[in-house]
Amino acid sequence: MTAQLIDGTALSKTLRADVATRAAALTARGHKPGLAVVLVGDNPASEVYVRNKVKACQDNGLHSVFDRFPATLSEAELLAHIDALNHDPKIHGILVQLPLPAHIDSHKVIEAIAPEKDVDGFHVANAGALLTGKPLFRPCTPYGVMKMFEAHGIALKGANAVVIGRSNIVGKPMALLLLEAGATVTICHSKTRDLAAHTRQADVVVAAVGRRNVLTADMVKPGATVIDVGMNRDEAGKLCGDVDFAGVREVAAYITPVPGGVGPMTITMLLVNTIEAAERAGRD
Ligand code: GUN
């Protein structure tokens, strides 16, 4: 069996059309949705991600500001900038691109963002709300993955789901969303004793560790759904994920490619969260 591709670019196109419609409606009512993207330092990967986020805003009728700071910016200066954005009525969403330089405490920075503008869903108030079942914002990457399951009618109720990776950005919130959807969830990570023993039982595997070939064909149950959140480069410099795509696609029923899978969905859900933040602000 060759797996069916879950095309994140195509699904994003549909969802972004809805974003653009809602952005136009808000703009007509004098509430143009606005996103502030903050980048500190010159991490080349972050630079690409951030530019794509700003461009997606422009393409879909959202206002965006891109605030770039040198790696020498102090924590106090960054906190003061976030405070200004918290009070800016044109800004409904604030995204501070991670990772931050080592001298800045990223927890402190995330907690400084007003929870109602935390479109990443990383603030403890939002992470806690997700844990207790009433999320204000769902973190963009796992939220995008949930939309992929939904779009392809992939059943999660009672399914065995394995999440590989336990980051605050992807692994932990992904596990919570799968749990909310009724899956039996296992979180595997670098200390897991026998990863393959877990993944071979899984109807759904989400790989989010940032290392190539973490999941190979022999580790996948025939007919499983495999989601690849990884963004790595192979020896030739070509973009690739965490999954051995060529091998696993011959075993799985559904698989996401890299590029063109989860990546565009992350940005799409950022737009969706920003629209929702602006709609909420417009109702107040
Ligand atoms: N770095 C890697 N992924 C993300 C993300 O989704 N949001 C932010 N703010 N930083 C990231």
Side-chain angles (χ1 to χ4, degrees), residues 46 49 53 95-99 120 122 140-141 169 266:
S46 291
Y49 297 149
K53 288 170 185 177
L95 181 143
V96 179
Q97 187 67 24
L98 302 175
D120 263 326
F122 295 165
C140 303
T141 301
I169 297 179
T266 296

Side-chain angles (χ1 to χ4, degrees), residues 163-166 187-195 209 211:
V163 178
I164 315 173
R166 54 174 159 173
I187 306 176
C188 296
H189 47 79
S190 55
K191 306 288 185 291
T192 298
R193 284 208 192 104
D194 187 353
L195 177 62
V209 281
R211 197 155 37 85

